[in-house]
Amino acid sequence: MSPLPSSHLRRHTSVYGALLVGLAVTGVAAFFVQRDIDERRDRRFDDAVHEGVLGLQQRMDTYQAMLLGTRGLFSSSQQVERGEFHAYVQSLELRRRYPGLQGLGFSLWLKPGEVKAHEASVRREGFPDYHVWPEGPRSAYTAIVFLEPLDARNRRAIGFDMYSNPTRREAMRRAMETGLPAASGKVRLVQEFEGDTRPQAGFLIYVPVYDGPAGTQPATLELRRAHIRGFVYAPIRMGDLVEGLRFPGFQDTVDLEVHDGEDSVPGSLLFSSVQDGPWQEGLRLGLRREVPITVAGRPWTLVFTARESFIEKNNPSQLLTVVVSGLLVTLLLVLMTRAQVRARTVAEVSSVEQQRLASEARMAVRIRDEFLGVAAHELRTPLTSLKLQLQLMYRQLRQGGPLDAERVEHGVASCERQTTRLSQLVDSLLDVSRLMHGRMELRLEPLELGEVTRDLVRRFETDAQSVGSRLTVDAPEPVPGRWDRLRLEQVLTNLVSNALKYGQGAPVDVRVRGDGDAALLEVQDRGIGIAPEDAGRIFDRFERAVSSQHYGGLGLGLFITRQLVEALGGHISVESAPGQGSTFTVRLPVMGPGNGADATVDVPEEPRTPLH
């Protein structure tokens, strides 16, 4: 492949430079966007982990508080009756308030010589088959005597000596020796049936109950061992406990494993929400957290891992948008630069384009000069009249004689009219500037178009009388909607003032109608009319259908009117013929621009009203 000619490289240096700069900027932007995405994803995952840990700890604290309260029931009574305990547990509403609790019970501490008498006592209470199990000689026994609710699962546990099981015995001994709630390790609850399709791992929480004055606890280890009366306890099914948790993404985009102990090894698993094997996607992105907690003196390890759905859900399209946008901007920049290079090349070999541009520039200057001339004329007229009236009033004041009140009033009124005209001319120029720079803002409010029209037309009654025109409003039915009152009045003002100006003293009719989702406003005059070839351009800036020598104005009124109507989401049209008058029709959506979406505005401008 032959190298590119040096002339080509020299001519297209800016094109290749734009390409390199665009690609570099796109790459840097993509890097920072991806880093921001990763950071936000990590923060959302850490928030979910924090709320999951907090929710589980709060739940376990609540369960321990309930067990401590139940201990108070036994500590305050030397003998708790079975019916009393049943009523107490019913009042707790275990299944609704404490998800995962299989029941609430009391296990009695027995010495070897007390077992037979104890069994006989319980049998007399209506349990003829009651016995302490498993059988066999031991140094100490415990027996579950109360367990509510006494359903089929819990009935299986009555009489069970939990102290005979090493895992349960470790927790019961720890509770007895410390006087505090103690959680056991992972066990299979006796309430679990052999044929359960979804067997759950379980654990128990024990709270010791001692003989002695209510609310007191033996001070020493020896006394606590000597005065142990039994244990208030709760068997908990781990699956029911954890599945009731609520934290962002749980069982949807975030999985949780609960391990008994300080390590997350397979044999210690208490609960797992994983359904489809290991979390390879979460591990790959580092979205896995191991959090150690302590539950009633027993260490647990919580393992949170994000599913692939979490990665997808928290992987927004900003990166793709940035890359695609960057490439498109780079392509656009290259094309624009290439176009400039071509234009410069063409300009070097031909001066035709330069001449055309120079001609257009001269045309623009001429149009600007013509507009400045018209604007100067329009501004000079009221200024001249204003100056003349002020000079006349000044001379009258200097004469020293009595003032002619009628002449002063006439002069002040004339000054006020010329000042109002100047203000309107300046406002028109300012409105054009705002429209061209996109700063025309709206403040929508509920309005009734007929009422606004009638109020506005009343302001023109004096002007209509001065030109000999009859000005009427036909609004038979209310037409409610959401519009900007100031801009709506400005549209009406421009249309009505034009109708009076070009109406040649003939009647002017203003009609308001409702048309489903739109409102119709018509302003009809019977004046000079508009030629068909001029009807399309009268809404453009600085365009006029008549000579400025016969009719004053800057050629901005209808341009501003069209821009305001379109800003309100509407459309304006005209039907006219020379000598037959004109009918301007404005169609506005009743819900305002953008189907009723409110425009964001600054402080609205005050309505411009005449001083009189």
Side-chain angles (χ1 to χ4, degrees), residues 71-137:
R71 178 170 70 176
L73 173 67
F74 286 88
S75 297
S76 62
S77 175
Q78 189 64 29
Q79 182 68 35
V80 176
E81 299 293 336
R82 193 173 299 276
E84 180 184 359
F85 185 74
H86 173 76
Y88 174 79
V89 175
Q90 272 195 327
S91 69
L92 294 178
E93 299 181 0
L94 291 183
R95 297 294 165 82
R96 184 175 70 85
R97 295 184 179 180
Y98 304 93
L101 257 69
Q102 186 62 33
L104 180 61
F106 177 73
S107 178
L108 182 64
W109 181 271
L110 296 170
K111 296 178 181 179
E114 299 173 340
V115 174
K116 294 300 182 182
H118 165 72
E119 290 177 340
S121 174
V122 175
R123 288 169 184 168
R124 287 194 297 272
E125 293 180 12
F127 295 88
D129 298 328
Y130 176 82
H131 65 285
V132 177
W133 61 281
E135 297 179 354

Side-chain angles (χ1 to χ4, degrees), residues 433-450:
S433 175
R434 295 190 189 100
L435 290 168
M436 296 308 296
H437 290 85
R439 295 198 300 267
M440 182 62 70
E441 298 171 338
L442 303 177
R443 182 171 186 176
L444 304 181
E445 59 179 302
L447 298 173
E448 201 280 295
L449 185 57

Side-chain angles (χ1 to χ4, degrees), residues 489-514:
E489 290 181 349
Q490 197 170 352
V491 169
L492 283 164
T493 297
N494 289 340
L495 294 178
V496 173
S497 62
N498 274 1
L500 295 175
K501 180 178 180 180
Y502 300 111
Q504 295 185 328
V508 174
D509 298 326
V510 181
R511 292 183 289 273
V512 177
R513 296 289 186 272

Side-chain angles (χ1 to χ4, degrees), residues 266-283:
S268 65
L269 185 64
L270 285 169
F271 171 83
S272 175
S273 63
V274 181
Q275 300 175 352
D276 302 320
W279 306 312
Q280 297 298 330
E281 189 65 17
L283 292 174

Side-chain angles (χ1 to χ4, degrees), residues 473-485:
V473 177
D474 180 16
E477 296 181 356
V479 182
R482 284 178 58 80
W483 302 292
D484 185 312
R485 175 182 286 272

Side-chain angles (χ1 to χ4, degrees), residues 121-336:
S121 174
V122 175
R123 288 169 184 168
R124 287 194 297 272
E125 293 180 12
F127 295 88
D129 298 328
Y130 176 82
H131 65 285
V132 177
W133 61 281
E135 297 179 354
R138 293 184 288 276
S139 61
Y141 295 82
T142 63
I144 299 175
V145 292
F146 296 152
L147 185 56
E148 296 288 345
L150 197 58
D151 53 19
R153 287 184 182 272
N154 286 337
R155 190 176 293 272
R156 291 161 50 93
I158 295 297
F160 177 54
D161 179 5
M162 293 183 286
Y163 205 69
S164 65
N165 176 264
T167 303
R168 293 174 172 84
R169 182 167 57 247
E170 183 277 330
M172 297 172 81
R173 180 177 294 144
R174 180 158 37 91
M176 175 179 60
E177 294 177 353
T178 63
L180 301 174
S184 73
K186 175 183 176 181
V187 299
R188 179 182 177 90
L189 299 177
V190 296
Q191 287 90 341
E192 295 287 344
F193 290 107
E194 292 296 332
D196 282 344
T197 58
R198 292 184 58 198
Q200 299 183 23
F203 71 101
L204 305 101
I205 299 180
Y206 298 95
V207 174
V209 178
Y210 301 98
D211 289 324
T216 63
Q217 178 174 300
T220 65
L221 176 61
E222 291 75 13
L223 290 175
R224 285 193 285 270
R225 289 173 176 171
H227 291 83
I228 185 68
R229 177 180 172 188
F231 300 88
V232 172
Y233 83 102
I236 301 174
R237 303 179 82 199
M238 196 66 197
D240 295 340
L241 170 70
V242 178
E243 287 182 356
L245 287 178
R246 294 291 181 268
F247 63 89
F250 181 45
Q251 297 185 342
D252 178 22
T253 60
V254 176
D255 275 316
L256 169 63
E257 279 188 353
V258 181
H259 292 265
D260 175 35
E262 298 177 350
D263 298 312
S264 55
V265 296
S268 65
L269 185 64
L270 285 169
F271 171 83
S272 175
S273 63
V274 181
Q275 300 175 352
D276 302 320
W279 306 312
Q280 297 298 330
E281 189 65 17
L283 292 174
R284 182 178 66 81
L285 294 175
L287 295 183
R288 185 176 188 272
R289 304 286 187 272
E290 290 192 8
V291 182
I293 65 172
T294 301
V295 175
R298 184 79 183 180
W300 280 7
T301 301
L302 309 183
V303 181
F304 297 84
T305 309
R307 293 182 183 177
E308 186 175 353
S309 54
F310 179 89
I311 311 301
E312 295 173 352
K313 185 176 181 180
N314 292 277
N315 189 23
S317 59
Q318 289 100 321
L319 179 61
L320 179 61
T321 302
V322 168
V323 173
V324 172
S325 300
L327 293 177
L328 290 177
V329 171
T330 300
L331 177 61
L332 180 61
L333 181 61
V334 169
L335 293 177
M336 292 176 60

